[in-house]
Amino acid sequence: DAGVIQSPRHEVTEMGQEVTLRCKPISGHDYLFWYRQTMMRGLELLIYFNNNVPIDDSGMPEDRFSAKMPNASFSTLKIQPSEPRDSAVYFCASSYSGTGLYGYTFGSGTRLTVV
Amino acid sequence: QKEVEQNSGPLSVPEGAIASLNCTYSDRVSQSFFWYRQYSGKSPELIMSIYSNGDKEDGRFTAQLNKASQYVSLLIRDSQPSDSATYLCAESSGTYKYIFGTGTRLKVLA
C-alpha cells in the first residue's frame, strides 16, 4: 500500500498565480479530506468528499479556493489567484468507512509558499 | 463553534518518565477521540483512538476519556527521545469531520 500520495511536495509561486495541489488517496478509501496547517491556526479542514461527492466545503476560506474529485483515485485543490496568506502546508487524507470512525491516513503534504 | 484545546507546550520530561498530554473539548455530543503524533516537517500519524469513558492501553500509550468532564488525555510511559514530537488531539461528533487541537509539543530529554 503506497499510502496517500500528494504532489508536489513543495511549491513556491508568485502572488496572483494559479496553484494546483494533487492527491491520490489509498485505494478503496471512500472518504477524502483536504486540510491546511499553519502555526497560528493548526490543522483546519477545508473540504471533504465521500464517494467523490463534496460533503462539506464550509472550511474553504473563499472563492479563490476550489476542489474537485473526478474519480475515486484523484483529487485536486486549486487556488486562483494565490495570495501570500495562503502559504501553509496542505494535507490530503483518506479514510475507509467500512472500519468505522477510525481516523485518517494523511499524505506527506504540500508546502506552499506564495511570495 | 466547536473547539479542541491543548496546551502548546513544550512539555519537557526526562527519558524514562511518564509524559501526560491533555486535551479538552467543547462539544458535549463528541463521540470519538483521536491522538495523532506529528514529527517536525512530517504528516500526522494516528496513535490511538478512544470512544468510551475510561482507559485504553496500547503498548506504552494509554488514552483516557472522561466525557462528563469533556477531557481526554494521552499518557506515554517510559518516554524515549524518539517520542519528541507534537501530539494532536482530535474529536468527532459522529461524522468524518474531525476537529483538531493545535497540538502539544513534547520534548523528551536524554
Side-chain angles (χ1 to χ4, degrees), chain A residues 45-49 54-62 65-67, chain B residues 97:
Chain A
L45 177 64
L46 300 177
I47 185 171
Y48 76 96
F49 296 83
I55 302 300
D56 187 338
D57 66 354
S58 59
M60 297 285 261
E62 47 198 275
F65 286 69
S66 62
Chain B
K97 184 175 181 177

Side-chain angles (χ1 to χ4, degrees), chain A residues 47-112:
Chain A
I47 185 171
Y48 76 96
F49 296 83
N50 177 222
N51 291 323
N52 315 336
V53 176
I55 302 300
D56 187 338
D57 66 354
S58 59
M60 297 285 261
E62 47 198 275
D63 292 345
R64 298 185 298 106
F65 286 69
S66 62
K68 294 182 180 180
M69 192 166 186
N71 56 62
S73 59
F74 184 66
S75 178
T76 59
L77 178 68
K78 186 176 293 187
I79 308 172
Q80 166 64 21
S82 57
E83 296 182 4
R85 60 192 168 120
D86 301 330
S87 298
V89 180
Y90 291 79
F91 286 105
C92 176
S94 69
S95 185
Y96 173 53
S97 61
T99 56
L101 286 171
Y102 190 64
Y104 312 151
T105 300
F106 282 87
S108 299
T110 295
R111 181 173 296 277
L112 173 65

Side-chain angles (χ1 to χ4, degrees), chain A residues 21-63:
Chain A
L21 311 181
R22 297 173 176 79
C23 176
K24 176 179 169 57
I26 292 173
S27 177
H29 280 195
D30 52 351
Y31 279 85
L32 183 138
F33 310 84
W34 282 101
Y35 276 84
R36 176 172 67 177
Q37 187 175 39
T38 61
M39 289 291 292
M40 290 298 296
R41 300 173 67 91
L43 268 171
E44 301 174 280
L45 177 64
L46 300 177
I47 185 171
Y48 76 96
F49 296 83
N50 177 222
N51 291 323
N52 315 336
V53 176
I55 302 300
D56 187 338
D57 66 354
S58 59
M60 297 285 261
E62 47 198 275
D63 292 345

